[in-house]
Amino acid sequence: AQSVSQHNHHVILSEAASLELGCNYSYGGTVNLFWYVQYPGQHLQLLLKYFSGDPLVKGIKGFEAEFIKSKFSFNLRKPSVQWSDTAEYFCAVIPFSGGYNKLIFGAGTRLAVHP
Amino acid sequence: DAGVTQSPTHLIKTRGQQVTLRCSPKSGHDTVSWYQQALGQGPQFIFQYYEEEERQRGNFPDRFSGHQFPNYSSELNVNALLLGDSALYLCASSLASYRNTEAFFGQGTRLTVV
């Protein structure tokens, strides 16, 4: 079955620390890849997306992610986190296995950034 | 430009009852998907509606049904509620393109079954 694994369920960082959140998916075909963020009390928002082309994609608020096809990975990075980055982060995949755009989400990583 | 709106925001129901949740998609979008997000988990795909028809379904029982109206808005119905149906229900809208499509999410409806 197609699935998405996020390696860290909870991450605690101090401001200015670097962030890397792992994401791996299980599907051998073409995929679209996403990172969504859910700030406390808010709806899911798109951080960044990969459809094709340059495997290093940049998103909003200084986030970036790298698609490594051989590793089925799409890790999220930020060089220096801020307190306002405290949120839950979800990796998601659309596997093109017959059509349509069903998102498959990982379980999420809850990030807490301390001042 | 209104984003995705869902109603109600919170709901408390008793086991065995039926519930209807509503979603208005982002302006210009024609496809609506519903997701269930249980506590501590990522959203799980329930089904997707396009042109008023269910065109893809996740691993959910027939107690979960939906509808899409000509104006692209959608309803999610759950019959014979179980305690395990307690979750945040998310609506996402998008365009019907097969590829390179981005989903926009609403705030969700928090359903509590007691």
Side-chain angles (χ1 to χ4, degrees), chain B residues 75-114:
Chain B
E75 289 181 350
L76 164 65
N77 301 293
V78 187
N79 294 322
L81 284 166
L82 303 173
L83 295 179
D85 295 331
S86 296
L88 180 67
Y89 288 85
L90 297 170
C91 171
S93 74
S94 60
L95 288 171
S97 62
Y98 175 83
R99 283 178 173 264
N100 300 346
T101 184
E102 177 183 331
F104 290 78
F105 285 82
Q107 290 256 16
T109 294
R110 173 75 60 189
L111 172 64
T112 302
V113 182
V114 297

Side-chain angles (χ1 to χ4, degrees), chain B:
Chain B
D1 181 20
V4 180
T5 57
Q6 292 184 243
S7 63
T9 54
H10 294 85
L11 205 52
I12 299 175
K13 288 287 190 177
T14 305
R15 270 183 304 176
Q17 284 188 316
Q18 179 265 343
V19 68
T20 298
L21 311 182
R22 295 176 176 82
C23 172
S24 292
K26 180 178 169 64
S27 177
H29 285 180
D30 55 10
T31 301
V32 173
S33 302
W34 287 92
Y35 293 81
Q36 180 194 66
Q37 187 177 11
L39 204 60
Q41 297 182 24
Q44 300 290 313
F45 177 79
I46 303 175
F47 42 52
Q48 183 179 87
Y49 277 84
Y50 170 67
E51 291 189 340
E52 302 179 48
E53 290 189 358
E54 180 185 297
R55 69 174 186 177
Q56 196 175 19
R57 188 178 184 91
N59 189 25
F60 280 80
D62 291 344
R63 297 187 297 108
F64 289 77
S65 63
H67 189 77
Q68 186 179 34
F69 299 94
N71 66 353
Y72 308 119
S73 66
S74 177
E75 289 181 350
L76 164 65
N77 301 293
V78 187
N79 294 322
L81 284 166
L82 303 173
L83 295 179
D85 295 331
S86 296
L88 180 67
Y89 288 85
L90 297 170
C91 171
S93 74
S94 60
L95 288 171
S97 62
Y98 175 83
R99 283 178 173 264
N100 300 346
T101 184
E102 177 183 331
F104 290 78
F105 285 82
Q107 290 256 16
T109 294
R110 173 75 60 189
L111 172 64
T112 302
V113 182
V114 297

